[in-house]
């Protein structure tokens, strides 16, 4: 089963410390070697984003930046046995942020990517 973890941050709005980046690279390598990590990347700020929506039968496009307190800053796609394993990898990632970036605040959402098993009769 595939899961995507979306990381949002509320503060601080500064570059991450080098120690955190090293820990993220090490964790990514471990997850890749185990076969769990399919893809991961950082995301640009909403300044470079657009939202495409439908409301009242009309299609709208709104360019960023957006005024949310949280920015989606990265994602990871895991191919794992179950949700618990996806949550474990994500928890390890979040612990690195807690331990290596004092004052950092954020959260990750772990969402199941729908697959063929979700459409079985």
């Amino acid at each position: 089963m595939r899961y995507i973890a979306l990381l949002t941050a509320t503060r601080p709005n500064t570059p991450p410390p080098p120690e955190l980046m090293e820990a993220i690279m090490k964790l990514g390598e471990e997850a890749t070697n185990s076969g769990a990590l399919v893809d991961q990347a950082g995301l640009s700020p909403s300044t470079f984003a657009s939202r495409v929506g439908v409301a009242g039968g009309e299609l709208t496009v709104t360019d960023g930046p957006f005024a949310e307190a949280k920015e989606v800053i990265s994602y990871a796609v895991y191919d794992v046995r179950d949700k618990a394993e996806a949550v474990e990898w994500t928890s390890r990632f979040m612990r690195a942020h807690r331990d290596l970036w004092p004052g950092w605040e954020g959260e990750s959402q772990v969402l199941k990517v729908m697959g063929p098993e979700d459409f079985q009769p």
Side-chain angles (χ1 to χ4, degrees), residues 76-89:
V77 178
Y78 297 103
D79 190 358
V80 292
R81 291 180 306 270
D82 54 28
K83 180 180 171 185
E85 188 176 356
V87 168
E88 176 56 31
W89 282 111

Side-chain angles (χ1 to χ4, degrees), residues 43-109:
L43 299 171
S44 296
S46 69
T47 303
F48 304 103
S50 295
R51 286 187 178 149
V52 180
V54 175
E58 297 292 321
L59 184 70
T60 60
V61 178
T62 306
D63 290 330
F66 306 117
E68 288 88 28
K70 298 179 184 180
E71 285 276 346
V72 180
I73 60 173
S74 71
Y75 73 92
V77 178
Y78 297 103
D79 190 358
V80 292
R81 291 180 306 270
D82 54 28
K83 180 180 171 185
E85 188 176 356
V87 168
E88 176 56 31
W89 282 111
T90 304
S91 295
R92 292 176 64 186
F93 181 77
M94 295 301 284
R95 276 193 293 277
H97 281 75
R98 179 198 64 199
D99 295 346
L100 298 171
W101 196 352
W104 184 86
E105 293 182 5
E107 67 181 14
S108 285
Q109 292 183 44

Side-chain angles (χ1 to χ4, degrees), residues 9-54:
T10 53
R11 65 181 199 152
N13 192 14
T14 59
E19 300 82 14
L20 176 61
M21 296 310 295
E22 287 177 33
I24 289 171
M25 296 298 289
K26 184 177 178 182
L27 183 60
E29 184 177 320
E30 184 181 344
T32 298
N33 290 341
S34 76
L37 185 62
V38 174
D39 189 26
Q40 69 174 353
L43 299 171
S44 296
S46 69
T47 303
F48 304 103
S50 295
R51 286 187 178 149
V52 180
V54 175

